[in-house]
Amino acid sequence: MELNPRLRVIAGCVTDVKTMADIGTDHGYLPVALIEKGKLVSAIACDVNEKPLEKAKKIIEDYGFDSSIETRLGSGLSVLKPEEAEAIVIAGMGGLLIRDLLEAEPEVAAAAKKLVLQPMNNQAVVRRYLETNGFKIIHEDLAREGDRIYEIIVAQKGVMIVEDHLDYELGYRATQTKHPLLEAHINRKIRFEEKILDHTRGKTTAIARKQFTESQAYIKRLNEVKKCL
Ligand SMILES: C[S@@+](CC[C@H](N)C(=O)[O-])C[C@H]1O[C@@H](n2cnc3c(N)ncnc32)[C@H](O)[C@@H]1O
């Protein structure tokens, strides 16, 4: 199975484990690809919606992996017992939902050897949640598909001290590890902030003026970081 660049990077983070649960599996491509490559002994493909789970079941059957990939219907980590899956992947969902799913089943999340998280937005919220709930980020990765850059966060139980505010936004220790896509990632953040500047420039409300000043300062900081890459 050929994965798209985002799922390929996520798959590359599922290492040193024999079992994985894919929460919100949708098509089931990730567990199928990992089993096919011999990277896992077994996997659990989970989804809260019946339709995607049926789709995943069909693909799993087509590949002849029904004895190594189980499917489960239900929300988030509620379908798992602690330690049932060494790695837990939650990808392609909003950061707020990912945080809520981890928060709803703290014992299951804490028992995993690895959490592989790929929030589509609110990545900083996920990093803050991990920091304040006894997790440490052990790896960060980026994937590019066309104009988009996806952030992949790998965490496990432990202590993490975030010293630089930018670590929440760009990725934990991103300015030290200097991923090849970091400059493009920063440029996207700058473009996003520039849009906020365009929307708030010349506005007289206190909120708009505060937002304008904050975005200006953030862009300045991002440009400084870029100079050091
Ligand atoms: C955009 S797809 C992402 C699919 C795949 N994980 C990926 O990254 O390509 C989101 C999937 O998450 C499922 N989902 C949404 N909320 C969920 C929840 N609370 N628990 C489990 N699955 C959920 C949806 O049904 C959908 O199949």
Side-chain angles (χ1 to χ4, degrees):
M1 158 143 340
E2 197 59 38
L3 294 176
N4 63 31
R6 178 183 62 89
L7 285 175
R8 215 180 302 140
V9 174
I10 294 169
C13 293
V14 184
T15 52
D16 306 318
V17 293
K18 292 190 177 69
T19 54
M20 183 224 28
D22 186 23
I23 306 296
T25 196
D26 195 0
H27 31 65
Y29 294 162
L30 188 67
V32 166
L34 285 165
I35 290 284
E36 189 183 32
K37 281 206 166 74
K39 303 275 181 199
L40 296 171
V41 172
S42 64
I44 309 168
C46 319
D47 210 288
V48 74
N49 292 306
E50 273 178 40
K51 266 199 177 164
L53 205 63
E54 285 306 317
K55 194 165 52 178
K57 260 187 202 164
K58 168 90 177 61
I59 291 168
I60 292 163
E61 278 168 19
D62 288 349
Y63 274 80
F65 293 155
D66 19 347
S67 60
S68 42
I69 308 177
E70 191 190 329
T71 54
R72 289 190 194 170
L73 181 68
S75 179
L77 312 187
S78 69
V79 293
L80 299 174
K81 293 191 200 83
E83 290 179 27
E84 210 178 0
E86 285 184 284
I88 298 176
V89 177
I90 318 179
M93 296 185 206
L96 300 182
L97 177 57
I98 291 180
R99 179 207 53 199
D100 291 348
L101 296 182
L102 294 173
E103 198 162 37
E105 300 290 339
E107 282 177 29
V108 177
K113 196 168 161 188
K114 254 176 207 182
L115 298 173
V116 181
L117 312 171
Q118 187 264 303
M120 300 297 283
N121 51 35
N122 287 303
Q123 293 85 357
V125 170
V126 174
R127 293 189 184 97
R128 277 182 207 279
Y129 174 81
L130 293 170
E131 182 194 21
T132 52
N133 288 276
F135 293 94
K136 62 178 177 187
I137 294 174
I138 53 171
H139 179 63
E140 291 256 5
D141 217 329
L142 297 170
R144 173 154 48 192
E145 279 180 27
D147 223 21
R148 280 206 81 144
I149 293 200
Y150 298 97
E151 300 174 47
I152 297 101
I153 303 166
V154 186
Q156 64 184 198
K157 193 115 192 72
V159 177
M160 166 173 73
I161 295 155
V162 176
E163 282 161 359
D164 186 341
H165 179 83
L166 272 189
D167 282 16
Y168 297 118
E169 302 291 337
L170 293 181
Y172 183 55
R173 301 205 165 140
T175 52
Q176 290 153 53
T177 49
K178 298 186 178 157
H179 191 285
L181 289 175
L182 182 58
E183 186 168 356
H185 182 43
I186 293 174
N187 284 337
R188 284 193 83 243
K189 299 259 176 203
I190 290 175
R191 283 201 294 277
F192 181 80
E193 293 300 319
E194 281 172 346
K195 280 189 194 143
I196 297 177
L197 287 188
D198 288 345
H199 278 104
T200 50
R201 185 174 286 110
K203 298 252 165 74
T204 51
T205 66
I207 290 179
R209 283 193 355 236
K210 183 170 177 281
Q211 183 63 69
F212 185 84
T213 311
E214 280 174 6
S215 288
Q216 241 183 353
Y218 187 32
I219 291 173
K220 187 165 174 267
R221 180 81 211 281
L222 290 171
N223 277 316
E224 281 163 9
V225 170
K226 254 173 55 171
K227 278 191 207 141
C228 300
L229 294 181

